[in-house]
Amino acid sequence: MLKITGKTDVYGIFGFPVKHSLSPLMQTAAFHTLGIDAVYVPFEVSPEDLKDAVAGLRAMNIKGINVTVPLKEKIVPFLDRVDEAAAFLGAVNTVKSENGILIGYNTDGDGFVDSLEEEGVDINGKTVLLIGAGGSGKAVAFALLKRGAGKVVIANRTVEKAKSLAEKLESYGKVEAVSLGDIENFLEEVDLIVNTTSLGMKESDPPLFDYALIPSSAVVVDIIYKPFKTKLLLAAEEKGAKIINGLGMLVHQGARAFRIWTGYEPPVDVMKKVLMEQL
Ligand code: ATR
């Protein structure tokens, strides 16, 4: 039985909606596994109420929260400090309260790269084709460059967005912006192909490019985990390429949040297992 006492620490997640979030399951399993006296609960916070909700974190001595859509950007001005990734991204997915001082972090991009490392993929000096220039694309591109990728080619439907992201990233490494139509000209030179768009979540979604052209030598990653294997991953698998879905990113962004909050090494295998059972 879950034992909650007067000493139990409270953590949670802010989202709107938050019902679909898998973080409560994953973080609760992690606290339980390490015997940490803490609970992790979902908070449905509308964007209009966010400021009050953040004040509530301080007022109620809540130790930490995750932040999800559509609040990741909106929460930034209400925090006391943010880390380098969160400052660059203008978005926070993890908040830690240190005696009421609220510090924002963004573990999405590093969680993504951790998930590649877990699969034995070395990004050092590699050329990456990154599809998407939204919030997720930005986080992934930043972490890839910070952690040693040789070059990131950003392809986006709205090419202007890819260009503006590429400009922001210029000081961190080699970046290029292209349109979705250009992807086929780059495929032969890429080591890693990453989809960060939502295209592929629905059965009816069209392909992002001609998947028959995926080189077998590439590692193909989709940050989607529902479906577990998108059409992109199925096609890549058929070509003999190594494939990785978004479950690892979900686990590792949570693992990093857990480490920030508790200082303990997160039980990554347990966190992954509870998610697998749920999906
Ligand atoms: P997230 O935070 O999940 O990244 P987002 O910031 O809304 O969400 O970004 C969505 C990304 O998916 C963008 O790169 C978007 O392309 P545009 O910048 O051109 O809008 C991409 N995307 C969404 N629907 C798409 C579609 N039908 N075809 C191609 N790209 C799509």
Side-chain angles (χ1 to χ4, degrees), residues 132-137 156-158 161 180 196-199 208:
S136 309
N156 198 47
R157 174 178 61 180
T158 313
K161 265 173 77 181
L180 292 182
T196 70
T197 76
S198 50
L199 222 72
L208 290 151

Side-chain angles (χ1 to χ4, degrees), residues 56-103:
L57 292 176
R58 291 192 180 91
M60 295 189 288
N61 194 23
I62 289 172
K63 302 292 179 189
I65 53 156
N66 285 126
V67 186
T68 188
V69 186
L71 309 172
K72 288 183 176 185
E73 290 85 12
K74 293 188 177 74
I75 199 166
V76 172
F78 306 133
L79 303 176
D80 298 302
R81 285 208 305 273
V82 294
D83 80 344
E84 191 201 1
F88 176 82
L89 301 170
V92 157
N93 78 332
T94 301
V95 177
K96 182 184 187 187
S97 172
E98 287 183 8
N99 305 315
I101 305 294
L102 299 181
I103 306 164

Side-chain angles (χ1 to χ4, degrees), residues 33-230:
T33 301
L34 297 197
I36 295 172
D37 187 9
V39 292
Y40 183 105
V41 288
F43 295 107
E44 189 169 84
V45 177
S46 74
E48 303 79 66
D49 291 332
L50 183 60
K51 190 176 181 195
D52 290 344
V54 174
L57 292 176
R58 291 192 180 91
M60 295 189 288
N61 194 23
I62 289 172
K63 302 292 179 189
I65 53 156
N66 285 126
V67 186
T68 188
V69 186
L71 309 172
K72 288 183 176 185
E73 290 85 12
K74 293 188 177 74
I75 199 166
V76 172
F78 306 133
L79 303 176
D80 298 302
R81 285 208 305 273
V82 294
D83 80 344
E84 191 201 1
F88 176 82
L89 301 170
V92 157
N93 78 332
T94 301
V95 177
K96 182 184 187 187
S97 172
E98 287 183 8
N99 305 315
I101 305 294
L102 299 181
I103 306 164
Y105 301 83
N106 196 306
T107 67
D108 285 331
D110 274 323
F112 173 84
V113 179
D114 292 345
S115 80
L116 301 187
E117 277 181 359
E118 184 182 41
E119 292 288 329
V121 176
D122 178 15
I123 60 164
N124 211 356
K126 299 288 166 65
T127 298
V128 183
L129 169 68
L130 180 106
I131 308 169
S136 309
K138 197 174 175 187
V140 167
F142 180 69
L144 282 168
L145 289 171
K146 286 287 280 187
R147 289 174 65 177
K151 182 178 169 188
V152 177
V153 179
I154 305 167
N156 198 47
R157 174 178 61 180
T158 313
V159 74
E160 288 313 317
K161 265 173 77 181
K163 281 188 184 148
S164 124
L165 177 55
E167 273 167 29
K168 287 194 193 107
L169 286 163
E170 253 169 17
S171 56
Y172 297 95
K174 260 195 211 167
V175 226
E176 198 169 326
V178 301
S179 68
L180 292 182
D182 284 332
I183 287 179
E184 284 152 28
N185 306 322
F186 282 89
L187 287 174
E188 283 195 356
E189 59 174 278
V190 302
D191 304 301
L192 197 68
I193 300 169
V194 186
N195 174 41
T196 70
T197 76
S198 50
L199 222 72
M201 289 177 88
K202 290 192 298 257
E203 177 60 31
S204 58
D205 283 343
L208 290 151
F209 61 94
D210 182 358
Y211 296 158
L213 301 174
I214 295 172
S216 63
S217 56
V219 175
V220 180
V221 195
D222 203 321
I223 68 162
I224 296 170
Y225 51 84
K226 238 175 166 174
F228 209 66
K229 279 185 195 173
T230 56

